[in-house]
Amino acid sequence: QSVNFYLKHKLDSTQNLTFRLNGGWSDTKLDNAIHSNTFQIASQVLNESQSNYYVKGNSYQFRPSLSWMKRLGKSGRSLVSRLSGRVQNNDRNGNLKSQNNYYAVSTITDSINQRQNLRDDALNYEASMSYTEPLGGKKHLEFNAAHSNFNHKTNNNYFDILPNNQEQKNDILSKIYQSDYSVNSAGLNLSINKKKYYLTAGFKMQYSSLVGNLQSIPEGSISKNYSRILPALFGEYQFG
């Protein structure tokens, strides 16, 4: 199921607000059974495999955004700000039961009886603002700045079911990972819009930070900072 919503409100003759929301949610179910054999040319069975996997889950994702635009005194002069976000969740619970038989000199058997609980969450947001100043001659200068943050958490738990029906957590497969990535930027663009061509040139200074933690291993933490200058050039030309 999905939802889409749009609302635009004019505050006065120079400014307006725009709100958007889209997203959806779903329920899923999978019941999978497989049985297979491998034979020699003489029709002798080499190995036999059978598995049953059942999983049930639900998920949702929503992306709201709010924009504000104001026209300032001079024609072409404007101030625009925008706030957007995304929230996402994926939750699944499953059971896996499989058995493999290998027929050689003697029969070798391995089996899996396992319960799985998998959860994934994400929360992102971005705030930006830009100011446009007309320079005359169909030229515009734009100043822009933005801050964004991306937070993600994965919690996957696997439990082996023992012959006495007791559960034992499988620490090798189980993991809890969380990351937080933030970006700050500021830039300047010059745009020229003529009858036959359009050109934009500029640059952006960007600083980003990443912090992550994988709880299942002692060396699972990471912390990195990055800074860069990103040039940009875009143009269009109409022939004829």
Side-chain angles (χ1 to χ4, degrees), residues 71 94 104 133 147 154 164 196:
R71 295 190 301 272
E133 176 67 25
H147 169 75
T154 299
N164 60 1
K196 284 198 170 186

Side-chain angles (χ1 to χ4, degrees), residues 3-8 17-23 62-67 82-85:
V3 58
N4 289 280
F5 181 78
Y6 173 83
L7 176 65
K8 187 173 183 178
L17 279 173
T18 303
F19 176 74
R20 292 181 174 89
L21 173 65
N22 59 72
F62 294 99
R63 296 180 298 274
S65 68
L66 179 65
S67 300
R82 186 172 186 268
L83 179 64
S84 62

Side-chain angles (χ1 to χ4, degrees), residues 33-193:
I34 299 175
H35 184 220
S36 63
N37 293 330
T38 303
F39 298 90
Q40 283 185 327
I41 298 178
S43 298
Q44 180 182 354
V45 178
L46 288 177
N47 55 66
E48 179 182 24
S49 175
Q50 62 180 19
S51 67
N52 291 277
Y53 182 55
Y54 175 81
V55 62
K56 185 177 181 181
N58 56 76
S59 64
Y60 62 80
Q61 177 177 265
F62 294 99
R63 296 180 298 274
S65 68
L66 179 65
S67 300
W68 172 72
M69 185 185 73
K70 182 173 178 62
R71 295 190 301 272
L72 304 174
K74 188 176 180 180
S75 177
R77 181 182 295 162
S78 65
L79 184 64
V80 178
S81 62
R82 186 172 186 268
L83 179 64
S84 62
R86 180 173 71 95
V87 57
Q88 179 179 331
N89 169 269
N90 191 356
D91 201 353
R92 290 173 292 157
N93 292 284
N95 293 90
L96 172 63
K97 191 171 185 178
S98 70
Q99 181 172 305
N100 300 301
N101 298 318
Y102 306 95
Y103 305 108
V105 179
S106 59
T107 300
I108 301 174
T109 299
D110 68 64
S111 61
I112 298 175
N113 191 3
Q114 194 174 79
R115 182 175 68 86
Q116 304 172 356
N117 176 250
L118 313 175
R119 184 179 178 91
D120 194 76
D121 295 283
L123 177 62
N124 307 334
Y125 69 86
E126 181 176 9
S128 63
M129 180 172 288
S130 64
Y131 171 78
T132 302
E133 176 67 25
L135 301 179
K138 294 188 176 181
K139 301 184 185 69
H140 292 84
L141 192 63
E142 181 198 57
F143 303 88
N144 59 74
H147 169 75
S148 58
N149 183 266
F150 306 89
N151 187 278
H152 179 241
K153 184 175 183 180
T154 299
N155 192 344
N156 293 342
N157 290 309
Y158 294 81
F159 301 91
D160 295 324
I161 302 176
L162 305 178
N164 60 1
N165 287 326
Q166 296 294 314
E167 292 187 352
Q168 178 177 299
K169 187 175 182 180
N170 190 318
D171 293 324
I172 296 177
L173 297 179
S174 300
K175 67 175 182 178
I176 299 176
Y177 177 74
Q178 183 167 3
S179 66
D180 191 84
Y181 180 61
S182 62
V183 181
N184 296 286
S185 63
L188 180 67
N189 293 313
L190 174 64
S191 299
I192 304 174
N193 190 2

